[in-house]
Amino acid sequence: MPDQIRVTLPDGSAREVPEGTTGAQLAAQIGPGLARAAVAIRVNGHVHDLNRPLPDGAKVAILTERDADSLEVLRHSAAHVLATAVREVFPDAGIGFGPAIEEGFYYDFDVPRPFTPDDLEMIEEKMAVVTANDYPFVREVVTRDEANRRFADDPLKLERISELGPDETITVYTDGSFVDLCRGPHLPSTGKLKHFKLLSGAGAYWRGDSSRQMLQRIYGTAFFKKEDLTQHLFRLDEAKKRDHRILGRQLDLFMFHQFAPGAVFWTDRGTAMINELNGFLRELQRDGYHEIRTPLLYNKALWEISGHWGKYQENMFLVLDSETGEHDFSLKPMNCPSHYLMYQAKKHSYKELPLRYNTYDVLHRNEVSGALSGLTRVRQFQQDDCHIFLMERQIQAEVHRLTQFILKYYETFGLKATLKFATRPEERIGTDQMWDEAERALRHALEATGLPYELKPGDGAFYGPKIDFDVEDAIGRKWQLGTIQLDYSNPERFDLKYVGEDNADHRPVIIHRAVSGSFERFIAILIEHFAGAFPLWLAPEQVRVLPIADAQREVASTLTQRLRDAGLRAHLDERTETLNYRIRDGELLHVPYMAVVGQREAEAGTVAVRVRGAGNKQEIVSVEEFVARLDQEVKTRALSS
């Protein structure tokens, strides 16, 4: 009889099985249904292939498509199926890396030309053949010499092998005729992959290094269920229609120019939106906040104290000092240190705390040109930034206050948020003891709010842990926006103090808070969330007044002024084009209301109102009723008319 080993199942029960039993065999012992549904197995917290033997004493869980970890296994396997297909269509293709990513997977190939749409179609058809053949994914542990022999004709893989440590286990996976250097895990066989789609091709430098060769990357996605794939593809198609870079031009909100790469030129229409957002935040922060402005340019001595010069310099725009000939200055990439200087300039009592400084200053970060993308990745941006100086005993109440503030703000736009708690990163300032205290305090404050949250280990700011707010837009995409960051380090670095009840000096702590993040990125999200059809209060043009003929022009002009006097952004379209042409133009700009003035309306003191999205339907109302209706809609910041 073979020796027996003991494993523990998720419910805490123990099971004795013969030594050498695999995850697949364990699943079959538990039940045939589980065996059919099994995708992988979690062993002592790590996901393994089903066909690997189980170690004695392990805690194990059979994973099915219902488990979150299984989707990554599926997509990693899909990347290998993609590489298998590419090698069959392009036998000489060099093989790079093929990981699963958040929305799907990709694989990099060394080929002489970019992949065309026809290539992708051909490769996808070949992938279907690979899955139909149901090749098993076979894992082998090999020596370094064996790995070098197997990949002798593939320099990209040889480079990766040379970087592996002397004690590192080297594994290869085979499916059909394709062999790859890989850690796994994978599906039991290619036939488990049923619902996938190749999406696009793109250039990608090997290892992300612009000095290395350009490879050709293929992106794809995969799901366990056909309906999930269909829904995802619908979202992608909808995202293309909502692309803020296209809509922003169509709606005449902003532009870019080669003479100012990564910096936005806002039109009067786009500026109106920024002013509305600023005004909304100013209204919310009227009580208990101090709005300030600080300089853009600082000597490097400030950044050395804050830690940015050592930890963040590559992202900063350095400025040459004409006297020293050195890069001794920098445009500010963030507001924090300048707010510390403002705090430092006066003596503060515990009675002033929490002291909240907020600003809308412009910031500059040196993003590489290849990373710039519309409004979502720019070099110059404006942030709704706030720094709160407070006593430790005030942290819990302040975090509760801020979470409610931020969530209420998002609700105004119909955005739902989830919270994430991010802990210390590898690159950081401050002692471990300081981080222990900051993480304990922030986690305690977060849990006291009663709000659910996810953990993001290692994703904190370099000076402190943080709570991030991820919002979901109208088509289900997640965007990281607001943040609450707790900082014990910079009060020490800048020697910040307040006078306590005992008349002695004490050290405050700092909370860094942003709600929109950058206005540029937030407006990009709003453009795509609303597909350019903004609620009335935010719309750059709220009402378009349309006289049918010259005879109604004077009445229409008076109506326009009446609307403007009521604080509405109204535009008189008195062009000589036909009424239908002018209405269509307003529809393309997603103007919420169009007010048509004909002879009957001019004589009766009424207006024919066309509401965005209502087709050709018109409603005849008095001017007084129309103005009051719009005024109420703006004041309540209603999401729809």
Side-chain angles (χ1 to χ4, degrees):
M1 290 287 292
D3 292 337
Q4 298 289 298
I5 63 170
R6 186 182 180 89
V7 296
T8 303
L9 301 177
D11 63 2
S13 63
R15 180 179 287 259
E16 289 194 354
V17 296
E19 186 177 10
T21 295
T22 65
Q25 290 168 337
L26 176 63
Q29 289 180 24
I30 295 172
L34 182 60
R36 288 191 298 272
V39 172
I41 184 168
R42 188 183 295 110
V43 180
N44 295 329
H46 300 283
V47 181
H48 289 181
D49 305 302
L50 279 172
N51 292 323
R52 286 181 62 175
L54 302 173
D56 188 23
K59 293 182 179 179
V60 300
I62 307 295
L63 303 182
T64 69
E65 64 181 59
R66 297 184 207 174
D67 296 283
D69 289 339
S70 295
L71 190 57
E72 183 174 346
V73 176
L74 177 82
R75 289 172 172 172
H76 188 186
S77 301
H80 276 240
V81 171
L82 166 60
T84 306
V86 167
R87 267 287 173 83
E88 293 193 15
V89 178
F90 301 93
D92 296 329
I95 304 296
F97 291 145
I101 55 177
E102 185 174 355
E103 293 284 303
F105 60 89
Y106 70 78
Y107 217 113
D108 291 340
F109 303 97
D110 191 1
V111 288
R113 62 169 176 80
F115 292 109
T116 67
D118 287 342
D119 291 335
L120 296 187
E121 186 176 341
M122 191 187 326
I123 293 166
E124 190 174 289
E125 290 174 357
K126 185 63 70 175
M127 289 176 69
V129 173
V130 174
T131 60
N133 287 335
D134 198 21
Y135 298 125
F137 279 101
V138 179
R139 177 182 184 268
E140 296 177 76
V141 177
V142 298
T143 64
R144 186 179 301 271
D145 288 343
E146 174 65 12
N148 284 325
R149 186 187 66 77
R150 291 206 188 190
F151 298 101
D153 296 329
D154 206 329
L156 301 182
K157 294 298 182 184
L158 290 176
E159 179 180 324
R160 181 69 188 102
I161 293 168
S162 70
E163 296 169 348
L164 298 175
D167 299 323
E168 194 161 351
T169 300
I170 302 175
T171 56
V172 298
Y173 279 82
T174 303
D175 62 286
S177 60
F178 180 65
V179 182
D180 201 2
L181 179 75
C182 181
R183 289 196 178 97
H186 285 290
L187 300 170
S189 66
T190 61
K192 289 275 190 180
L193 176 66
K194 300 184 184 298
H195 309 296
F196 58 89
K197 181 69 180 175
L198 296 186
L199 301 173
S200 62
Y205 291 111
W206 172 235
R207 313 299 287 274
D209 184 345
S210 60
S211 68
R212 305 294 300 274
Q213 71 262 47
M214 176 69 76
L215 305 180
Q216 296 303 318
R217 177 173 294 178
I218 296 178
Y219 286 100
T221 193
F223 291 87
F224 284 106
K225 295 179 180 178
K226 184 177 181 180
E227 54 265 36
D228 290 341
L229 175 61
T230 301
Q231 186 179 24
H232 181 75
L233 296 177
F234 169 78
R235 283 200 303 267
L236 291 178
D237 185 56
E238 192 66 22
K240 288 180 183 178
K241 297 176 186 175
R242 294 167 178 254
D243 190 330
H244 76 276
R245 294 165 296 185
I246 297 171
L247 285 175
R249 288 195 301 271
Q250 292 175 353
L251 299 176
D252 189 25
L253 300 177
F254 60 85
M255 60 168 269
F256 289 92
H257 196 280
Q258 61 182 355
F259 291 162
V264 189
F265 291 76
W266 293 102
T267 67
D268 58 326
R269 296 169 63 86
T271 300
M273 291 186 65
I274 288 182
N275 288 341
E276 278 296 332
L277 292 173
N278 279 345
F280 182 30
L281 282 163
R282 283 191 170 100
E283 180 183 315
L284 293 174
Q285 297 175 123
R286 185 176 294 123
D287 298 325
Y289 289 82
H290 303 271
E291 184 175 337
I292 62 174
R293 293 191 178 196
T294 57
L296 295 180
L297 186 66
Y298 295 87
N299 185 278
K300 71 175 183 180
L302 174 67
W303 308 115
E304 287 173 337
I305 296 171
S306 68
H308 287 89
W309 201 257
K311 303 287 185 183
Y312 202 76
Q313 187 180 145
E314 64 183 23
N315 299 108
M316 298 164 69
F317 278 105
L318 306 184
V319 179
L320 195 68
D321 186 325
S322 59
E323 295 183 4
T324 66
E326 300 291 334
H327 287 98
D328 289 339
F329 287 82
S330 170
L331 296 173
K332 65 178 177 183
M334 49 192 66
N335 292 301
C336 326
S338 63
H339 288 196
Y340 308 154
L341 298 183
M342 290 283 284
Y343 181 90
Q344 209 177 48
K346 296 179 181 178
K347 195 168 186 176
H348 298 281
S349 163
Y350 73 95
K351 295 179 181 179
E352 299 175 69
L353 307 185
L355 178 61
R356 305 179 185 95
Y357 288 157
N358 71 288
T359 190
Y360 306 101
D361 281 355
V362 170
L363 303 174
H364 293 83
R365 294 183 186 173
N366 191 13
E367 303 281 359
V368 296
S369 59
L372 300 177
S373 178
L375 298 179
T376 58
R377 200 74 176 266
V378 290
R379 287 173 171 164
Q380 176 183 293
F381 58 96
Q382 187 183 352
Q383 205 168 40
D384 56 346
D385 216 352
C386 180
H387 292 92
I388 302 156
F389 303 85
L390 67 165
M391 297 178 279
E392 283 189 275
R393 66 172 184 263
Q394 296 172 320
I395 292 172
Q396 181 174 317
E398 189 67 15
V399 168
H400 185 273
R401 183 181 190 276
L402 292 175
T403 54
Q404 296 305 309
F405 180 100
I406 293 171
L407 292 173
K408 178 183 177 182
Y409 181 75
Y410 296 152
E411 286 173 7
T412 307
F413 304 95
L415 296 167
K416 295 181 180 179
T418 54
L419 280 62
K420 297 187 176 179
F421 180 69
T423 58
R424 71 193 76 184
E426 288 188 17
E427 287 288 320
R428 58 183 183 268
I429 59 176
T431 65
D432 286 344
Q433 181 181 354
M434 190 177 288
W435 274 89
D436 289 341
E437 180 59 23
E439 288 178 352
R440 183 204 62 76
L442 188 59
R443 186 193 290 265
H444 177 71
L446 174 57
E447 290 177 348
T449 67
L451 297 168
Y453 68 90
E454 298 176 31
L455 188 64
K456 290 173 69 178
D459 204 42
F462 72 84
Y463 46 75
K466 60 178 180 169
I467 301 167
D468 284 335
F469 292 75
D470 287 3
V471 301
E472 183 177 322
D473 67 13
I475 57 174
R477 295 171 302 177
K478 296 287 183 71
W479 304 85
Q480 197 276 306
L481 282 181
T483 188
I484 298 171
Q485 304 171 355
L486 184 59
D487 184 354
Y488 277 64
S489 181
N490 279 298
E492 292 282 350
R493 285 173 168 257
F494 284 84
D495 194 26
L496 304 183
K497 300 173 183 177
Y498 68 89
V499 178
E501 295 176 84
D502 58 0
N503 211 34
D505 285 340
H506 297 270
R507 189 78 69 203
V509 293
I510 298 171
I511 287 179
H512 307 244
R513 185 231 68 189
V515 185
S516 301
S518 78
F519 284 111
E520 285 76 4
R521 186 166 175 269
F522 189 56
I523 288 177
I525 292 167
L526 292 181
I527 291 171
E528 299 190 5
H529 175 60
F530 291 113
F534 305 108
L536 180 67
W537 73 274
L538 188 60
E541 181 182 347
Q542 295 170 320
V543 190
R544 179 165 292 195
V545 181
L546 305 166
I548 291 179
D550 285 348
Q552 294 88 47
R553 184 173 298 175
E554 185 176 344
V555 174
S557 178
T558 302
L559 172 61
T560 304
Q561 190 57 51
R562 173 81 179 274
L563 292 164
R564 289 173 178 169
D565 290 343
L568 294 158
R569 291 184 289 278
H571 169 68
L572 174 63
D573 187 350
E574 53 185 346
R575 292 176 294 174
T576 57
E577 278 83 0
T578 66
L579 178 63
N580 284 340
Y581 177 91
R582 287 178 287 153
I583 288 173
R584 179 59 180 157
D585 185 60
E587 289 173 342
L588 291 174
L589 288 171
H590 296 302
V591 178
Y593 286 95
M594 281 183 272
V596 180
V597 181
Q599 190 59 35
R600 183 173 56 185
E601 288 79 24
E603 293 172 354
T606 60
V607 62
V609 178
R610 299 173 67 98
V611 182
R612 180 181 61 204
N616 294 324
K617 183 179 177 182
Q618 289 190 163
E619 181 184 2
I620 308 298
V621 298
S622 69
V623 170
E624 289 75 14
E625 182 183 344
F626 183 51
V627 174
R629 173 179 170 181
L630 270 59
D631 180 64
Q632 180 65 15
E633 193 174 325
V634 168
K635 284 180 178 176
T636 59
R637 293 191 172 87
L639 275 171
S640 59
S641 304

